[in-house]
Amino acid sequence: RQKHKVTVIGSGNWGTTVAKLVAENTRGCPDLFEEEVQMWVYEEDVVIPSGSPHYDASVGDKPQKLTSIINKYHENVKYLPGIPLPTNIVANPSLLDAVKDSSILIFNLPHEFIGNICKQIKGHILPFARGISCIKGVTVTDDKIELICEYIGEELGIYCGALSGANIASEIANEMWCETTIAYNTPPCDRRDVNGAAAENGHVMAEHRDSRGKVIKTQLTALPHDYPPLDHGELHKLFSRPYFTVSMVSDVVGVSLGGALKNIVAIACGFVEGHGWNMTAKTAVMRRGMLEIIQFAREFFPETIQEKTFWEESAGWGDMIVSCTSARNWRYSKMAAERGVSVQEIERTELNGQKLQGISTSREVSSFLRARGVEDKYPLFKLVEGILDCKVNVEDIPSLFRK
Ligand code: NAD
Ligand code: 13P
């Protein structure tokens, strides 16, 4: 009998944290998963500072490959410093080698890189692989918008679900408790009957809808019989930890849009606070932001939206609150406003390679709304883009609320 082999594609702050918790679980579930977890690392040269416990005087200030450092010291010194990683994580600089023979692919990198990743791995993965996207963002081409998990599924011809929630990587890496939401609709061809046999054989046509409600049919290859099933129960075992409570749902639209669009609102909250206003002003912006997110989901995903996800799940209001009070998009746009410089400049100078997803998401969503002539229906989203482009002032935010 086969076991699921797991690869995490991405090794930033969140990518490394998810690799850690998944690797703890593959160790604990040897009947379902291979113990070793592959983690694809965008290779770079890193200098270990002399104050670090991993500083080696014989190497000195000579740059070393990040993958070698991770595999030698079991720590991602650049993106998750100070956190010991399970030794069953293998950092791999070769994308094709990292995904080879993996039946579970966890996509976890800034959304702007996903197109290139899909191009590279297409045709090099197991045809029955299944994906989980932990990426917060959307894909916009011309006037079309796609959920990242849907985009991955269509590009690779696989099924891909989404994980999103009120999750600050460094807190979870330190095993401070929080919760998350995973949206996954087990494809009919993967369902097993009571005896564990596949309920349907062979290829199936799975239906997806794009943002315009158009039905897209993707040919899926069924998970072979000699693999353990992959349904909510198994995914729960893969991601859930005593410090990471997982709620399994079916609403990929709510989970994906909540995670992507709150980053625009978090940037607005950073501007508001950097301007000198406080929690009451931020609360008004959060409330307004959530209304625009729900309106967006209603307008562009009318067939599939389940509004309760925004109210009841960590991926909804939970993520909105944490993102506007303690996450990077909020923190660094606040810093930008306080210093009177652009957020892009702060990203370049202060984040040591980490990325703020709200900047590109704001531009992508605004261009999508403009292309459809509906940008005025989303005044907060429009205003954030204007502030990022230095065309609008933070003082204009209250005008959105005047009756
Ligand atoms: P990060 O911002 O910490 O790091 C950036 C990553 O991008 C690094 O791993 C870097 O090596 C990689 N990279 C740079 N250039 C690249 C290229 N050309 N191709 C591929 N990779 C490249 O990343 P992160 O925090 O792990 O974010 C991944 C996703 O997780 C994002 O969508 C983010 O919104 C989401 N997320 C992050 C957190 C968090 O707390 N950090 C929490 C929840 C969700
Ligand atoms: P940042 O990328 O702004 O840190 O957001 C992390 C997050 O998604 C919190 O849930």
Side-chain angles (χ1 to χ4, degrees):
R1 188 175 154 90
Q2 303 275 0
K3 297 175 184 188
H4 289 292
K5 181 181 166 196
V6 182
T7 296
V8 180
I9 301 171
S11 55
N13 195 230
W14 186 222
T16 309
T17 301
V18 167
K20 171 184 180 290
L21 63 88
V22 159
E24 288 165 357
N25 282 332
T26 58
R27 251 187 191 160
C29 302
D31 49 328
L32 289 177
F33 308 111
E34 282 185 17
E35 183 173 337
E36 182 183 294
V37 170
Q38 286 280 318
M39 178 171 78
W40 174 69
V41 174
Y42 180 73
E43 188 68 292
E44 51 190 299
D45 292 324
V46 172
V47 175
I48 299 186
S50 57
S52 161
H54 307 310
Y55 180 75
D56 179 347
S58 67
V59 177
D61 287 347
K62 230 171 78 196
Q64 301 172 61
K65 297 288 176 212
L66 182 55
T67 47
S68 313
I69 296 173
I70 296 173
N71 288 332
K72 185 166 175 193
Y73 300 113
H74 306 291
E75 184 181 320
N76 186 339
V77 295
K78 177 154 184 192
Y79 292 104
L80 198 62
I83 302 295
L85 299 175
T87 52
N88 54 326
I89 293 179
V90 175
N92 193 336
S94 161
L95 183 57
L96 297 193
D97 191 54
V99 298
K100 189 167 174 275
D101 298 332
S102 281
S103 51
I104 301 180
L105 302 172
I106 300 170
F107 296 87
N108 200 331
L109 70 174
H111 75 282
E112 51 269 43
F113 304 127
I114 191 63
N116 194 23
I117 293 292
C118 288
K119 261 195 211 102
Q120 292 180 64
I121 67 175
K122 192 175 180 150
H124 297 277
I125 58 172
L126 290 177
F128 53 84
R130 300 291 177 246
I132 293 288
S133 165
C134 305
I135 298 170
K136 293 183 176 174
V138 285
T139 312
V140 170
T141 35
D142 303 325
D143 72 336
K144 185 176 170 208
I145 194 156
E146 266 187 295
L147 309 180
I148 299 279
C149 60
E150 235 180 35
Y151 172 83
I152 294 170
E154 280 161 28
E155 288 297 305
L156 301 179
I158 63 173
Y159 176 74
C160 185
L163 179 154
S164 183
N167 301 144
I168 302 280
S170 55
E171 293 186 10
I172 298 156
N174 278 295
E175 306 192 0
M176 296 159 83
W177 173 77
C178 76
E179 57 173 354
T180 203
T181 316
I182 296 179
Y184 193 86
N185 291 296
T186 307
C189 58
D190 288 357
R191 293 197 193 118
R192 306 285 166 97
D193 65 19
V194 282
N195 300 314
E200 286 183 31
N201 284 324
H203 295 67
V204 295
M205 303 297 279
E207 288 194 350
H208 299 279
R209 270 172 204 282
D210 73 4
S211 54
R212 279 162 282 191
K214 191 177 122 215
V215 173
I216 301 169
K217 296 200 170 197
T218 312
Q219 194 166 52
L220 290 182
T221 303
L223 198 60
H225 293 193
D226 54 348
Y227 273 80
L230 196 56
D231 210 332
H232 281 194
E234 292 74 25
L235 287 169
H236 194 269
K237 283 188 179 141
L238 184 60
F239 286 96
S240 150
R241 296 295 298 154
Y243 57 87
F244 196 58
T245 299
V246 174
S247 162
M248 300 294 312
V249 302
S250 62
D251 179 18
V252 283
V253 170
V255 168
S256 304
L257 286 185
L261 300 180
K262 60 83 189 175
N263 280 332
I264 306 176
V265 187
I267 290 207
C269 284
F271 290 145
V272 160
E273 208 169 334
H275 183 68
W277 295 327
N278 208 340
M279 201 57 207
T280 41
K282 283 205 304 182
T283 307
V285 171
M286 282 189 247
R287 183 186 68 79
R288 178 78 199 204
M290 184 52 89
L291 292 181
E292 290 193 15
I293 292 175
I294 294 174
Q295 181 185 326
F296 189 96
R298 273 191 200 140
E299 184 162 2
F300 301 113
F301 296 84
E303 321 277 342
T304 41
I305 179 180
Q306 294 174 34
E307 280 186 37
K308 73 181 174 92
T309 302
F310 297 111
W311 303 108
E312 294 179 11
E313 290 296 332
S314 178
W317 260 113
D319 198 4
M320 174 71 88
I321 293 168
V322 83
S323 295
C324 296
T325 54
S326 54
R328 296 171 301 185
N329 282 281
W330 160 77
R331 188 179 305 282
Y332 290 101
S333 50
K334 172 171 175 281
M335 188 185 281
E338 284 165 350
R339 294 187 187 172
V341 298
S342 71
V343 188
Q344 294 85 328
E345 166 133 6
I346 293 287
E347 186 184 47
R348 250 191 327 274
T349 58
E350 304 295 325
L351 269 108
N352 194 27
Q354 294 189 32
K355 302 279 179 206
L356 299 177
Q357 300 279 266
I359 302 172
S360 43
T361 303
S362 165
R363 295 199 193 296
E364 288 153 359
V365 167
S366 294
S367 89
F368 168 72
L369 293 173
R370 240 188 330 272
R372 301 177 69 93
V374 292
E375 73 268 38
D376 289 337
K377 285 166 70 183
Y378 297 85
L380 180 66
F381 290 172
K382 184 177 170 184
L383 205 104
V384 171
E385 191 201 27
I387 299 174
L388 282 170
D389 288 342
C390 302
K391 289 183 184 149
V392 181
N393 290 320
V394 181
E395 285 92 348
D396 291 329
I397 287 183
S399 68
L400 304 180
F401 296 79
R402 281 187 200 117
K403 301 279 182 201

